[in-house]
Amino acid sequence: MTAYLIADIKVKDPKWIPDYAATVHELVHKHGGRYLARSGNVKTLEGKPLDTTLIALMAFPSEAAAHAFTNDPAYAPFVSARQGGSDSRFQLIDNTDLAGTISYLPKG
């Protein structure tokens, strides 16, 4: 079942970004993932805006694949750099419909 990783990041010190942006997508691909978006063009349409600099949305073939990416030892130095230079939140969701009313999604 497809799993989506949502990375919500507020950059505090941008020094980590060039290496992270140039390399981490290869680690995402290594685990079967792909970026759907990695953008700083965040516009709040409803509710209180998040204190966010950028949001990345990645799709993985499974929750296990997403965990394999985040737990990959090759990713660890990039995690440390990102966490040191930002406030970050990574969330994982699947592709289910909690209400069960959308025919093309599995019931959640």
Side-chain angles (χ1 to χ4, degrees):
M1 176 179 297
T2 303
Y4 298 97
L5 193 154
I6 304 163
D8 173 0
I9 299 169
K10 177 183 176 156
V11 175
K12 297 186 300 186
D13 180 351
K15 286 186 263 184
W16 61 274
I17 295 173
D19 287 340
Y20 192 100
T23 307
V24 170
H25 69 277
E26 294 171 9
L27 293 170
V28 169
H29 296 163
K30 172 183 169 184
H31 295 285
R34 64 187 181 98
Y35 279 88
L36 302 177
R38 184 170 71 177
S39 178
N41 297 320
V42 180
K43 296 173 181 70
T44 300
L45 299 180
E46 184 176 324
K48 181 181 175 185
L50 296 174
D51 194 13
T52 298
T53 307
L54 67 96
I55 295 176
L57 176 60
M58 293 157 268
F60 287 88
S62 66
E63 185 174 328
H67 283 289
F69 158 65
T70 59
N71 294 321
D72 188 320
Y75 183 47
F78 297 100
V79 173
S80 294
R82 176 181 42 78
Q83 290 175 342
S86 73
D87 293 327
S88 303
R89 178 177 48 213
F90 276 34
Q91 298 180 84
L92 189 65
I93 62 171
D94 60 22
N95 69 335
T96 61
D97 172 26
L98 185 60
T101 59
I102 299 174
S103 62
Y104 55 86
L105 292 176
K107 290 185 180 181

